Amino acid sequence: MTVAQQYFTRLLASITARKDELNALDAALGDGDHGTTMVRGLTKAAQAEPGLGAKAFMRASGGAAGTLFGLVLVAIERHLDSGADLAAELALAEARICDLGQVKPGDKSMIDALTPAVAALKSSGLDAAIEVARHGCEATIVLEARRGRAQYVEGKGRGHQDPGATSIVILFEVLRQTQENL
C-alpha cells in the first residue's frame, strides 16, 4: 500500500467518524450532506489504484464540493506519492479553488481554513498549518456567507461553523498522522 493509499484509508476513517457532525454543520448552512458526500468520495479514493485516489474521489463525490476538495486531495496525493512540494501543490489548488468557486478568504468557505494553512505551510511547516487552519475554521462562525447556499439562509449562516473549512482541518490532521506513522 502506498503512502497516499494509507492517507486515503486514514482519512476515510476520520471523516466517517465525523460524518454526522459534518452533516449537521452543513444542515445549518446548506443541504446537510457534506459528511455523506465526503465519505462517498473517500470510500472510492481508499479503494483506488495507486495514484488515482483523488480522481476517484472527484468522480464518486461529484458536484462542486467533489471538484474543490478533489483539487486539495490531488495536491496531497502528489506530495505523498512523488515528494512534490506540498506548499507549492496546495498553493496551486488554492488558486484554482478561488478561481472556480469565485471565493476569497472571508467568504465563509473552505478557503478560510486553506489559505492561512498554505501560507503557514510555506514558512513554518505542517503543525503551524494545522493550527492556523483551525483558527480560520473557527473564525467562519462569525462570518456571513458571501458564496454558496449559506448566503441564502437566515443570517447568511452567521453563528455556524463552515463544514468545508472543518473538513480542510481534518485533511491536514490526517496528513500529519500519516506522516508520523511512516
Side-chain angles (χ1 to χ4, degrees):
M1 181 181 280
T2 68
V3 176
Q5 288 174 309
Q6 292 174 40
Y7 172 75
F8 285 121
T9 300
R10 287 176 187 270
L11 186 58
L12 172 60
S14 183
I15 292 286
T16 298
R18 296 181 65 179
K19 180 183 80 171
D20 292 343
E21 171 194 349
L22 293 170
N23 282 343
L25 290 172
D26 193 34
L29 301 173
D31 52 13
D33 67 349
H34 179 71
T36 300
T37 299
M38 293 294 287
V39 167
R40 185 175 57 243
L42 289 169
T43 298
K44 293 297 185 183
Q47 298 168 345
E49 295 295 319
L52 299 175
K55 288 181 182 175
F57 173 87
M58 286 187 202
R59 280 192 300 272
S61 55
T67 300
L68 301 179
F69 277 94
L71 291 169
V72 175
L73 293 173
V74 164
I76 292 172
E77 186 173 39
R78 284 184 183 151
H79 167 69
L80 294 174
D81 277 348
S82 66
D85 183 88
L86 181 60
E89 291 289 327
L90 286 171
L92 291 172
E94 174 196 4
R96 188 81 175 119
I97 291 165
C98 288
D99 182 50
L100 286 173
Q102 295 295 299
V103 65
K104 60 186 182 305
D107 284 349
K108 194 179 189 81
S109 75
M110 65 191 291
I111 286 297
D112 291 306
L114 183 60
T115 295
V118 170
L121 193 60
K122 290 177 186 174
S123 63
S124 305
L126 186 55
D127 287 340
I130 292 168
E131 187 64 26
V132 297
R134 285 184 186 137
H135 289 295
C137 177
E138 291 166 2
T140 63
I141 294 171
V142 298
L143 295 175
E144 291 182 357
R146 293 186 288 222
R147 292 286 177 204
R149 292 179 191 220
Q151 68 182 315
Y152 303 110
V153 301
E154 185 173 335
K156 298 188 178 217
R158 184 177 271 256
H160 299 281
Q161 185 170 300
D162 183 74
T166 306
S167 287
I168 288 294
V169 173
I170 297 170
L171 266 61
F172 279 105
E173 289 173 341
V174 173
L175 178 59
R176 180 174 59 196
Q177 292 168 7
T178 302
Q179 292 180 332
E180 287 173 350
N181 287 293
L182 291 178

